[in-house]
Structure formats: structure tokens, C-alpha cells
Amino acid sequence: MTRTFRPLLIVALLATALAGCAPMAVKDITADRTGYLEKNFTPALLSADTGKTIAGVKIAPRFSKATVEYKYEIETNLGEKKVSESATIQYEDLGNGVIREMAEYFNNGIPVSTSYELRYGGFLPLRTQRVFNANRVGNLIVEVKQFKSFDKNFANMQENSKYDADWASGNTVQIMNFFDRKQTCTTGKAYAANTVNAAFAGNAVDVDCELSFNGNLDTKQQFIYLQQYGFAVARGMTVTSGKIKATISSVKLQ
């Protein structure tokens, strides 16, 4: 049987790999996406250990909100290409390096799913959930239970540097047998952020990350870190079944 390549699933690999079924109906979640995001994705709902770690960072918000529209070019290991995938991602700076994100993904212009996330610096997935429109119920929220190592400079990246974080992860009702996750990122030389998009000021650095699951490399991610704003936008992703290249088509900053 031929395996179907689902690029939108790969884009949300972190949000779906560990999730189970939640009792909340998808139609109830998507009826008020913004309200659901604001209620369920706040620093106050982080695990006690994670919340304490983040609270100690002490970084003031560097922007209010940003909306970025992406187009994706996908290539499978079979050489097939598609360019009909797209996403609109809203970013919000909650302070202390915490970026709240809500992403709506489209296939041929039709909404497919929505992801809700809290990410540190736009990199480390503190609290994530992916909700697929075709499903009856949503996936459980996945969270960092405890950081084993944590580099606060994931929210203050400089050029030609390396950053590591190591943590235990599980869904919100999980109390044992957590999954080990590790992320290692390296940055390149700084350059003008307005070359990424005219709306961005200051400097940017390209970031290449490797994400491991229970000690095994499973994803390579590419970002652009915007130093003035303290968050990262996507460049692409590599997994075993193919590659995704992300291109920014529009940016709105508030």
C-alpha cells in the first residue's frame, strides 16, 4: 500500500506525536479559537516546575502581536512536490520569553487544522495542542513537565552560537512515564531582518535545530530568529519522509 505524505501533519509533529483524545468536541474548540487560546494557553497553566523556571527569566515583552502568512513547498523522498499548503500564524509576546501562537493550516485554501502553543523564544514547546477540523474530538494538550537543562538565551539568540535544552514531556493528565525531549540549536551570522520581510526591523539570525525524542533524532527544524522582537519564524523542516520549505508571504506587526 502506498504511503500518503501529509505535510500538514509533519508541520505539527511536536503537537501530535504525543497526544491522545480529549473529551472536548472540536466544534466547541473552533467556535471561538481566540477565546480558547487565551483560556488554555497562559503561563499560569504551565506545570509548577516549568512555570517557576520561566518566571525566573525576567524579560519584558518586545512586541505585542504579529500575524505571519506562510506558503510551503514540500518535497517527499519520492520527489513529489506540492505548493498548495499554507498557514496563518499569530504570535503574541507574553513576557519572560513566552510566545503564544495560534496557527491555522490550509490545504488548497481549505482550513484543515489549528494549533495552539506556548513556546519559549518561539522554539521550546512549553504547551501545545493540534486540533484537526475533520475529527470529532481534540487531542490532549502536551506540556513540558520539567526541564532537565534550560538555556534562557533561547529567547535572546546571538550570532554564531549554540543553545541546548532537555526536558520531560507528557500530556496534561499524565503523571509518570514521561517522554524525554532534547533540542539543540545553532545560529549563523547576523543580517538585516528587513531582508526577511520589509516589516521587520533590527537583525536576524538563521537557526538550525535538531529535536530528539527519547534519545533519537526525529526532526530537523530551520528558523529565523528576529533579535529585536525575541521570537522565531519558520524556514522549514526535515523529517524522514521529506522536506518542507517555508516562505513568508505577508507580515502584520502590532
Side-chain angles (χ1 to χ4, degrees), residues 72-205:
Y72 301 118
E73 178 179 305
I74 303 103
E75 183 173 356
T76 71
N77 290 340
L78 299 177
E80 301 166 343
K81 290 188 178 181
K82 291 178 63 179
V83 292
S84 57
E85 309 287 359
S86 62
T88 299
I89 304 182
Q90 298 177 27
Y91 303 87
E92 183 180 1
D93 192 342
L94 302 184
N96 290 343
V98 179
I99 307 299
R100 181 157 62 190
E101 302 180 18
M102 182 172 67
E104 188 170 11
Y105 294 96
F106 302 85
N107 191 340
N108 296 321
I110 299 173
V112 175
S113 63
T114 305
S115 68
Y116 307 88
E117 302 187 72
L118 292 180
R119 287 182 175 269
Y120 184 74
F123 295 98
L124 305 181
L126 303 174
R127 189 173 173 89
T128 69
Q129 184 183 29
R130 185 74 178 270
V131 177
F132 292 91
N133 296 354
N135 290 354
R136 186 181 297 274
V137 295
N139 294 324
L140 283 177
I141 294 170
V142 175
E143 64 180 3
V144 173
K145 299 294 186 178
Q146 182 181 31
F147 278 107
K148 301 174 184 179
S149 66
F150 173 78
D151 189 337
K152 67 180 181 180
N153 289 316
F154 268 99
N156 188 28
M157 286 192 163
Q158 304 301 312
E159 66 178 355
N160 301 323
S161 300
K162 182 179 179 181
Y163 306 89
D164 294 283
D166 205 343
W167 66 93
S169 180
N171 63 52
T172 52
V173 299
Q174 195 170 344
I175 60 173
M176 61 177 62
N177 298 324
F178 303 133
F179 301 98
D180 292 327
R181 304 292 271 171
K182 182 176 182 179
Q183 188 157 334
T184 300
C185 298
T186 57
T187 61
K189 186 175 176 58
Y191 58 92
N194 61 12
T195 62
V196 179
N197 186 278
F200 294 136
N203 287 331
V205 291

Side-chain angles (χ1 to χ4, degrees), residues 232-251:
V233 294
R235 283 195 295 132
M237 179 180 288
T238 302
V239 293
T240 56
S241 54
K243 297 179 180 180
I244 298 172
K245 180 181 179 182
T247 302
I248 293 174
S249 54
S250 73
V251 174

Side-chain angles (χ1 to χ4, degrees), residues 3 5-7 9-14 72-77 181 184 207-213 216-223 234-246:
R3 183 179 179 183
F5 184 73
R6 299 292 299 166
L9 298 181
I10 292 174
V11 172
L13 182 63
L14 301 182
Y72 301 118
E73 178 179 305
I74 303 103
E75 183 173 356
T76 71
N77 290 340
R181 304 292 271 171
T184 300
V207 187
D208 294 297
C209 298
E210 293 188 347
L211 183 66
S212 297
F213 176 73
N216 298 305
L217 175 65
D218 65 3
T219 309
K220 293 184 178 181
Q221 301 167 301
Q222 298 84 44
F223 297 95
R235 283 195 295 132
M237 179 180 288
T238 302
V239 293
T240 56
S241 54
K243 297 179 180 180
I244 298 172
K245 180 181 179 182

